[in-house]
Amino acid sequence: MEQIEFTIDGQLYEVEESEGTFSVVQDSVFIGQLYREKDQSWSWESAEGGFSDNFPWGEIGKKIDKHIANLA
């Protein structure tokens, strides 16, 4: 899958998929990754480990879903 770029609240995010895991970069810094297990909602892990809510993970997941839907 190609790289996906979008903005949320004026912040640029870049996402790249590898084997079902989506790596997320903000302002050239890796911030974490999103993944989905068997038709469930998105799960994420921050770059520091754990499930930080410092970033708009839910919105990032929606942007990825929209991009995937547009490919179909």
Side-chain angles (χ1 to χ4, degrees):
M1 177 181 258
E2 76 276 5
Q3 188 172 13
I4 306 167
E5 292 184 357
F6 51 83
T7 59
I8 298 174
D9 296 331
Q11 295 290 317
L12 176 64
Y13 293 90
E14 299 172 15
V15 177
E16 189 171 309
E17 186 265 344
S18 178
E19 298 181 20
T21 299
F22 294 82
S23 297
V24 182
V25 173
Q26 178 192 35
D27 297 327
S28 301
V29 176
F30 174 74
I31 61 169
Q33 48 188 260
L34 284 93
Y35 56 92
R36 179 179 281 159
E37 297 180 27
K38 297 183 182 180
D39 299 325
Q40 295 183 14
S41 62
W42 288 103
S43 296
W44 56 84
E45 185 171 332
S46 71
E48 295 83 30
F51 299 98
S52 170
D53 286 328
N54 294 336
F55 300 99
W57 297 111
E59 286 296 315
I60 294 169
K62 288 178 186 177
K63 296 278 189 176
I64 294 170
D65 285 339
K66 182 177 179 181
H67 180 79
I68 292 170
N70 287 335
L71 293 176

